Amino acid sequence: MTVRRDFQEPARCRPDLVIGREDLFAGARDQLASGGSVLLHGPAGIGKSTVLRALAEEYGATARTVLRCSATESESHLPFLALADLLGLVLDDVSPRLPVAQRTALESALTGRGESSLQRDGLALRLAVLSALRALAAQGGVLVVADDLQWLDPASAELLGFAARRLEGTPVQLLCAVRTEGQESQEYDRHLRACPPGTLAVRLGPLTRTQVAQLLDHRGHGGLTRSTVREIHRTSGGNPLFALELGRALAESPTPPRPGEPLPVPTSLRALVLSRLDMLSVEARRTLLVASAGARPTPALLHAAGRTNAEAECAQAAELGLLATGPDAPAVRFAHPLISAALYAETPAHERRAAHEALSTAASDPIERARHLALASTGTDPEVAARLAEAAALARDRGAPSVAANLGLLAARHTPADGVPSQQERRLQAAEDAITAGEIDLARDIAREVLARATVPADRVRAWIIVIDSAGHTMAEVDAVFPQALADAGDDPRLLALVHYQLAWRALIVEGDFTEARAAAAHAAELAARGRDRRTELLSLAFQAQTETLMGHPEAPRTIKRALKEPQDPRVAWHHNGAGSARFRWLVMGDQLAEARATVTALLREVRRRGSVESEVHFLRGLAETELRAGHCGRALELARDSLRLARDSGIGETASAMLTSLAEASGGDVDRALALAREAVEHAEEDGDQMYLSRALGALGYAQLVAGDPAGTVRSLRRVRRLELGLGITDPARGRWQGDLAEALVRIGEAAEAQDVIDASREHALRLDRESVIAVLDRSEALVRAARGDLEAAVAQLTSAQDRLGKLGYGLEEARAAFALARLRGRRPGSSAFDEATRMFRRCRALPWLRQVGESLTAPEPEPALAAPEALDALDVLAAMERQVAALVMEGATNREIAARLFISVKTVEATLTRVYRKLGIRSRVDIVRLAAARRAK
């Protein structure tokens, strides 16, 4: 028996080696664990060997014998080489157990001491390999690990396949990998037929952009900008080997590529993808160069660029596998994006400029013509710069801010030192376009470059603002910027308005001071009006309105009207910090859900048209929140997940999107995921020092804990929210809507008095601000307090009223929760109309977690009206009301589960309540309660 040393170590999973392959890895792991075999397949560099090694490391320790081979193309002509790798080290162990003819044939093949061939010793060799594997399996499990099956010498492949097809019923498993090209390729079929019956074929496809970013970060290339990672993903086609090589080349390159140019391709990859390029004619190669330089090359474009024989030359390239053929003709498409990038990188600079020059007149789109003109030019040229600036403006209007940013950088590069607009102005416009596109890292880098060169105060302040904007909710990290920005602003009211607007955000996010934030925003609006900067004035008024809305300030409606007053700036009207957003927030908090939905839908449509990533993330959350309030949990979950994906891809608004997605998951998805997302949001908000979103994240956590059946956890989380919002000066209960959940959780753990206090304090503000839905939810919670105190008739009446009002306001999920509470209070058995109504409402909302709670309630013992404590315990006035009721039911012999059902609380709450009863009465167990009560009766 032979076990390689590296397989003798304890089995352990290596998740770092299978980034982006977790699901595939899990499926392959399950197949191996069940005794089956696995065949991994996919193109070169896709990660087959990586996954193979990780699986072999994990499962090698479970096998008694591990046999391994890894073939290479250069050795594939040597007969029996792979077989020697597999069985050479175990030959002495298995030979004595083979028949003489088989032993002779196998030893000759493996040792070379005698002539052996499949033609001469075919049957004996086949049977010898099969017998050898069976002999090893008789001693324990055998794992055969074979990489690069496509390079196995034909003799070894034939012998291994013969044995594998006959190994059913023996503890021999194959873990193999083979290279296949193209997603539709069936090349692995012949290898699959050579594997044991039931082998699982697993195709490894390209990684997503997020997975490529994770891989680069894991391998030490985490400092790359998001725009660069996006380009690496595009150029590599999601191939992990290609992505890592491109990342390494960028890290080693002394100068980054110019805007609009492909990434530098290392020599190793050029050799890999361009091995067939030398077989092209010179003219065909030039045609492919023009195609690689174009954004969307077609035969017509190539003809216009002077390539008169484009069709024939492209056909030649397609025959060599350099171009893809398919139904998407007449487009000219490279077989892999890396081929285009490598060809471009391989070509001398003067030939590349010639290709761009030809395309600068051939392209029909003005943006493309300007880009090619810039890449064909060297040095500064005011005419080229002007054309690029015009193209950038056109891209901006088309909703392509990322393209606008790249064109703006090219315009700045070609702008003379004394040009008007200046180089710095054009760089700053490019940075602002980058922010719109969600390329925050790029924007910050441009701003720092401007600050290193600029002397004009307006340019410097504008650059400082970009640095602050790029910090997002981590504003505490750029605290040192504000004094410098104020110094550069001097006494210019326009520049001061820009800085004070950002100071308003700082007061809110970093300090958590709504009063100071409101004052700073009002001051910024005043300065902007004095400096005739309508855009900053409108942004400041919108921020002031949002702050006043959250505070429950009486001036909020008037400030919103001021922010909506003409003249408007279109850049502010659709912005996520503009007046439209402030009005949406006011509508949501004021229970005008239909109008809020229409408003945010229109805003979302406009920001998508303009390509504003941050605003899209924001309004996706807003629409998801509106749908959640309306009880459309499935739709809300889809929107929230979209928001979270986009936030993580761009690095914008991740905390807020995780918080909102947690609420949606807890209402209509997976509760465990809701808890994980809420904790993630809390952690990020605490790390960022973001006081505003910390309270929202804790609110989401508390709600998820309530749905998960952890009322004690809910109380811990929402008590923190209550303290935070008191310190922040937030008085409007419609901001977070956590008050009803806290009161309900407090009732469940037996703290009815505190629950009533929360309800009373919140109702006072809700009545002042006319928050009808909040009042109805508070009434629902107060009904639970009354039920816990034994006043069932009043509780039923209050719940019925709350359910009716929530339904009329359009709060479907809250209405369903009231119906559920009413069903539990009335204590009907399964099939009753009360539980049927709650089930119907939750199903209409697609509120899956709540539906599961209904199911659990239907399997619990029939609840009965809460009973007053028996006379025997009347003298024990040290117990609170809930404690007395629990003790009374213990006296009757009820189990903890039965008590929970009868008092509408969780089993955990029953256990916690009993612990307090034991402590107060100085006893140790349920039996002592019964004895104590019996003693009282005897007296």
Side-chain angles (χ1 to χ4, degrees):
M1 180 205 56
T2 300
V3 179
R4 288 177 54 88
R5 182 180 176 185
D6 53 339
F7 290 130
Q8 293 174 332
E9 299 173 359
R12 58 188 184 276
C13 180
R14 295 288 304 279
D16 58 308
L17 294 179
V18 290
I19 290 172
R21 311 295 190 193
E22 292 79 7
D23 291 342
L24 295 178
F25 192 88
R29 176 197 287 130
D30 292 343
Q31 172 77 357
L32 291 170
S34 65
S37 297
V38 173
L39 175 67
L40 307 170
H41 66 100
I46 204 66
K48 303 181 297 298
S49 297
T50 299
V51 176
L52 184 96
R53 284 193 299 269
L55 287 168
E57 182 175 353
E58 180 170 344
Y59 280 92
T62 66
R64 187 175 189 277
T65 305
V66 177
L67 309 174
R68 190 171 74 169
C69 71
S70 183
T72 62
E73 184 177 12
S74 62
E75 298 173 339
S76 60
H77 67 285
L78 299 174
F80 306 120
L81 181 61
L83 190 66
D85 286 342
L86 287 172
L87 298 178
L89 296 177
V90 296
L91 183 59
D92 292 342
D93 187 22
V94 298
S95 286
R97 288 176 274 172
L98 301 180
V100 175
Q102 295 179 22
R103 180 169 67 247
T104 302
L106 184 60
E107 288 177 348
S108 296
L110 297 186
T111 64
R113 288 196 293 267
E115 290 188 11
S116 181
S117 68
L118 281 179
Q119 289 182 340
R120 176 179 172 181
D121 304 312
L123 180 60
L125 269 175
R126 287 174 171 83
L127 294 175
V129 173
L130 177 61
S131 299
L133 291 173
R134 284 175 173 169
L136 291 170
Q139 298 175 341
V142 177
L143 179 66
V144 178
V145 182
D147 200 1
D148 284 318
L149 283 183
Q150 74 278 0
W151 303 133
L152 252 64
D153 61 275
S156 296
E158 168 63 24
L159 293 171
L160 184 61
F162 175 86
R165 291 190 295 272
R166 291 161 176 79
L167 287 171
E168 191 171 8
T170 64
V172 179
Q173 297 173 264
L174 267 65
L175 173 58
C176 306
V178 62
R179 180 186 300 180
T180 56
E181 301 297 335
Q183 187 156 351
E184 303 303 322
S185 170
Q186 300 299 311
E187 297 171 48
Y188 72 93
D189 274 353
R190 62 185 179 90
H191 296 286
L192 189 60
R193 288 192 293 270
C195 291
T199 295
L200 175 67
V202 178
R203 176 174 177 79
L204 274 67
L207 300 180
T208 66
R209 188 191 310 170
T210 302
Q211 291 164 349
V212 165
Q214 292 173 345
L215 180 65
L216 291 168
D217 183 60
H218 177 71
R219 297 298 179 88
H221 303 306
L224 299 172
T225 65
R226 291 179 183 273
S227 57
T228 301
V229 172
R230 184 158 47 246
E231 187 61 22
I232 288 176
H233 177 260
R234 188 198 67 78
T235 304
S236 68
N239 184 296
L241 173 64
F242 298 171
L244 287 171
E245 286 296 299
L246 289 167
R248 182 180 59 79
L250 278 170
E252 295 175 354
S253 176
T255 56
R258 295 169 61 190
E261 287 187 344
L263 297 175
V265 179
T267 305
S268 58
L269 289 186
R270 294 187 201 182
L272 178 64
V273 301
L274 298 181
S275 57
R276 288 160 288 184
L277 197 63
D278 292 338
M279 300 172 69
L280 283 175
S281 67
V282 173
E283 292 302 314
R285 180 166 179 153
R286 286 175 180 167
T287 295
L288 285 197
L289 172 63
V290 176
S292 71
R296 292 174 295 276
T298 62
L301 178 65
L302 296 176
H303 274 293
R307 308 310 304 163
T308 55
N309 295 319
E311 286 89 350
E313 290 158 356
C314 286
Q316 182 187 358
E319 288 179 5
L320 293 172
L322 295 167
L323 292 181
T325 58
D328 54 350
V332 176
R333 185 166 59 89
F334 284 88
H336 192 282
L338 190 61
I339 296 175
S340 173
L343 172 61
Y344 189 92
E346 186 83 3
T347 304
H350 69 278
E351 292 185 27
R352 295 202 299 257
R353 287 196 296 271
H356 285 297
E357 185 175 1
L359 289 167
S360 69
T361 56
S364 59
D365 185 81
I367 292 176
E368 276 301 293
R369 288 200 301 271
R371 183 178 75 88
H372 289 302
L373 179 62
L375 295 173
S377 306
T378 58
T380 60
D381 185 326
E383 183 180 347
V384 173
R387 285 185 58 181
L388 285 164
E390 291 170 3
L394 180 58
R396 199 176 302 120
D397 290 341
R398 288 181 180 178
S402 180
V403 175
N406 280 324
L407 290 169
L409 288 174
L410 284 170
R413 185 186 296 271
H414 288 279
T415 299
D418 57 351
V420 178
S422 68
Q423 294 177 353
Q424 307 313 328
E425 288 179 276
R426 282 178 167 152
R427 286 193 179 95
L428 289 167
Q429 180 61 63
E432 290 166 354
D433 286 330
I435 284 184
T436 301
E439 298 180 7
I440 303 302
D441 297 335
L442 176 61
R444 183 170 51 244
D445 290 345
I446 296 171
R448 287 172 175 164
E449 183 181 359
V450 170
L451 287 166
R453 301 179 181 186
T455 57
V456 177
D459 291 344
R460 292 187 61 79
V461 171
R462 196 171 163 192
W464 287 127
I465 297 304
I466 292 169
V467 171
I468 295 168
D469 270 343
S470 65
H473 280 248
T474 60
M475 291 187 88
E477 297 179 2
V478 293
D479 257 358
V481 165
F482 289 99
Q484 299 176 72
L486 286 169
D488 283 329
D491 56 2
D492 186 330
R494 290 175 63 91
L495 301 182
L496 286 170
L498 291 171
V499 181
H500 280 276
Y501 172 68
Q502 296 293 342
L503 283 169
W505 278 104
R506 183 192 176 281
L508 182 62
I509 293 174
V510 179
E511 302 297 335
D513 190 333
F514 274 68
T515 302
E516 175 59 28
R518 174 179 177 268
H523 184 48
E526 180 186 339
L527 287 167
R530 201 187 322 158
R532 298 184 179 180
D533 179 359
R534 183 62 173 161
R535 179 176 185 273
T536 304
E537 181 185 8
L538 289 172
L539 283 171
S540 301
L541 287 171
F543 179 81
Q544 181 183 344
Q546 293 235 38
T547 306
E548 290 172 348
T549 298
L550 296 175
M551 294 172 68
H553 198 284
E555 288 294 316
R558 280 189 286 273
T559 307
I560 291 176
K561 287 181 181 178
R562 288 177 62 199
L564 291 169
K565 187 178 179 181
E566 295 295 339
Q568 286 291 311
D569 185 318
R571 295 172 298 171
V572 178
W574 53 265
H575 196 272
H576 61 279
N577 289 327
S581 181
R583 181 172 178 274
F584 161 72
R585 179 54 50 196
W586 175 260
L587 291 170
V588 167
M589 294 176 68
D591 299 326
Q592 300 179 60
L593 296 182
E595 193 172 353
R597 182 187 293 108
T599 299
V600 74
T601 299
L603 289 168
L604 180 59
R605 186 184 307 117
E606 180 63 18
V607 300
R608 279 176 166 166
R609 186 184 73 80
R610 293 175 178 267
S612 177
V613 173
E614 184 172 7
S615 292
E616 183 178 355
V617 171
H618 183 90
F619 291 131
L620 275 171
R621 286 199 308 267
L623 184 54
E625 180 185 353
T626 307
E627 298 293 0
L628 197 57
R629 299 282 175 238
H632 305 150
C633 298
R635 173 65 174 152
L637 185 56
E638 291 174 4
L639 290 164
R641 286 174 175 172
D642 286 345
S643 171
L644 184 59
R645 277 193 293 268
L646 187 55
R648 286 185 166 157
D649 186 46
S650 63
I652 297 173
E654 292 182 75
T655 300
S657 294
M659 176 274 299
L660 197 281
T661 308
S662 171
L663 290 172
E665 290 282 0
S667 298
D670 184 278
V671 179
D672 289 336
R673 179 163 170 76
L675 290 166
L677 285 169
R679 291 186 176 112
E680 174 190 326
V682 170
E683 181 181 350
H684 286 176
E686 289 177 331
E687 288 176 354
D688 296 342
D690 185 345
Q691 297 298 306
M692 183 172 67
Y693 268 109
L694 177 57
S695 63
R696 296 295 306 275
L698 285 166
L701 178 58
Y703 174 65
Q705 289 167 323
L706 183 69
V707 178
D710 180 15
T714 298
V715 169
R716 286 193 300 272
S717 298
L718 298 187
R719 277 174 176 166
R720 282 190 67 189
V721 177
R722 192 181 188 191
R723 291 193 298 270
L724 276 169
E725 293 203 351
L726 184 64
L728 291 169
I730 298 173
T731 59
D732 193 335
R735 187 247 183 180
R737 297 178 181 267
W738 49 266
Q739 298 82 359
D741 292 336
L742 175 56
E744 182 175 335
L746 285 166
V747 170
R748 291 191 186 185
I749 67 169
E751 300 291 348
E754 185 181 348
Q756 189 63 55
D757 177 65
V758 170
I759 292 166
D760 292 342
S762 304
R763 183 181 280 126
E764 179 183 350
H765 294 297
L767 288 169
R768 174 175 61 84
L769 297 167
D770 195 26
R771 303 299 192 219
E772 293 183 53
S773 64
V774 174
I775 295 169
V777 168
L778 292 173
D779 284 351
R780 184 186 69 202
S781 301
E782 190 171 50
L784 300 179
V785 175
R786 289 181 168 175
R789 291 173 172 171
D791 191 355
L792 295 179
E793 185 176 347
V796 168
Q798 194 169 21
L799 267 177
T800 304
S801 172
Q803 178 185 339
D804 181 61
R805 284 177 286 147
L806 288 167
K808 288 178 179 177
L809 289 169
Y811 284 77
L813 182 59
E814 299 294 357
E815 178 192 9
R817 287 180 62 181
F820 182 34
L822 194 57
R824 296 184 67 184
L825 209 60
R826 284 172 171 164
R828 301 294 179 86
R829 295 302 297 161
S832 70
S833 59
F835 275 105
D836 285 348
E837 182 181 15
T839 300
R840 177 181 57 80
M841 288 182 174
F842 282 135
R843 188 172 289 123
R844 182 184 63 194
C845 294
R846 289 183 60 187
L848 303 182
W850 287 103
L851 274 172
R852 283 191 286 272
Q853 286 203 24
V854 174
E856 291 171 3
S857 295
L858 290 174
T859 60
E862 181 179 0
E864 298 175 4
L867 303 175
E871 293 181 3
L873 290 177
D874 283 346
L876 305 180
D877 53 7
V878 294
L879 299 181
M882 176 64 74
E883 294 164 354
R884 291 163 65 84
Q885 291 182 64
V886 170
L889 291 171
V890 168
M891 240 188 56
E892 293 180 1
T895 65
N896 286 2
R897 184 176 177 81
E898 291 168 341
I899 295 170
R902 294 175 70 174
L903 296 182
F904 321 110
I905 57 178
S906 69
V907 174
K908 288 184 179 179
T909 301
V910 174
E911 293 169 351
T913 303
L914 281 174
T915 299
R916 291 197 300 274
V917 169
Y918 299 156
R919 185 175 63 250
K920 289 182 179 181
L921 299 182
I923 58 180
R924 296 183 178 182
S925 68
R926 299 164 61 94
V927 175
D928 291 335
I929 294 179
V930 177
R931 288 174 179 169
L932 183 60
R936 291 283 181 178
R937 286 198 184 96
K939 292 181 179 179

